[in-house]
């Protein structure tokens, strides 16, 4: 049976370390849980399939999403590739990069899947991905609290509005958008700098670097960069 388990702090580790600790990683899925906290689940290298749904018999259970069917969709291995299938399993359909899946769809690393109201990001690891060198985009997203994610999204405010593309928001702009104090913003940013391992950078480099790393690692999506921060 497919072994799916939350990575917790291991989401910060290089893929090579995850593979060593878990006996090999084939692919992983990133999604937000019922509280909006980002979670990462891995499919180990020995697995052949992973079912997604709301019922108790699936490997990846999204029990809070009432638009997800009990068995909604299935991932299974074909050679070195992974295929997503929805052969009429779901009531509301399965979508990859905005297109509804009718039958089978071969997945590429970085594909965005939606089941019910829940978006997921698929990441597959090649043989190269298990080596000691891990490109930034091959590393999984960092585990964030709900407020840390809100601060991260708010940090991209100038990029979303188009006012000053590429220049992150100031502490005051973030505080105003989220209705929190500037001191609280600073506290969350310090935590984010630590989680993305950039605390040692110069102060004038950290904020832009944080936004770039968050995009590279999947913590910020294209949708985040064009949408409002939810209260």
């Amino acid at each position: 049976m497919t072994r799916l388990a939350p990575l917790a702090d291991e989401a910060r580790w290089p893929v090579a370390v995850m593979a060593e600790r878990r006996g090999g990683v084939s692919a992983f899925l990133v999604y937000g849980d019922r509280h909006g906290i980002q979670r990462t689940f891995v499919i180990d290298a020995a697995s052949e399939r992973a079912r997604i749904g709301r019922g108790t018999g699936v490997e990846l259970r999204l029990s809070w999403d009432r638009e997800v069917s009990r068995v909604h969709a299935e991932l299974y291995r074909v050679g070195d590739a992974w295929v997503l299938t929805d052969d009429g399993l779901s009531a509301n359909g399965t979508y990859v990069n905005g297109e509804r899946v009718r039958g089978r769809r071969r997945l590429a690393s970085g594909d965005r899947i939606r089941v019910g109201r829940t978006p997921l990001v698929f990441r597959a690891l090649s043989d190269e991905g298990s080596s000691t060198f891990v490109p930034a985009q091959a590393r999984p997203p960092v585990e964030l609290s709900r407020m840390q994610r809100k601060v991260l999204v708010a940090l991209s405010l100038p990029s979303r509005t188009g006012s000053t593309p590429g220049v992150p928001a100031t502490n005051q702009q973030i505080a105003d958008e989220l209705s929190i104090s500037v001191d609280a913003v600073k506290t969350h940013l310090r935590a984010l700098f630590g989680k993305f391992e950039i605390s040692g950078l110069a102060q004038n480099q950290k904020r832009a670097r944080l936004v770039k790393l968050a995009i590279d690692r999947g913590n910020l999506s294209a949708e985040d960069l064009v949408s409002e921060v939810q209260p």
Side-chain angles (χ1 to χ4, degrees), residues 70-138:
R70 289 186 174 277
V71 180
H72 196 102
E74 182 177 6
L75 283 170
Y76 65 94
R77 189 199 303 272
V78 178
D80 294 330
W82 282 91
V83 172
L84 178 71
T85 181
D86 182 347
D87 291 321
L89 291 174
S90 68
N92 296 314
T94 302
Y95 296 80
V96 175
N97 300 329
E99 297 181 4
R100 184 163 185 170
V101 175
R102 302 186 184 279
R104 302 192 304 170
R105 168 78 176 255
R106 179 171 176 168
L107 295 175
S109 188
D111 277 348
R112 298 186 178 276
I113 303 167
R114 181 167 63 81
V115 295
R117 300 181 63 183
T118 302
L120 306 97
V121 178
F122 172 79
R123 297 284 184 184
L125 306 183
S126 64
D127 291 339
E128 291 79 7
S130 298
S131 66
T132 54
F133 172 74
V134 182
Q137 64 267 26

Side-chain angles (χ1 to χ4, degrees), residues 11-15 28 123 134-141 197 216-218:
R12 300 172 55 196
W13 296 357
V15 172
F28 55 93
R123 297 284 184 184
V134 182
Q137 64 267 26
R139 298 182 67 183
E197 302 172 357
D216 288 345
R217 295 185 61 168

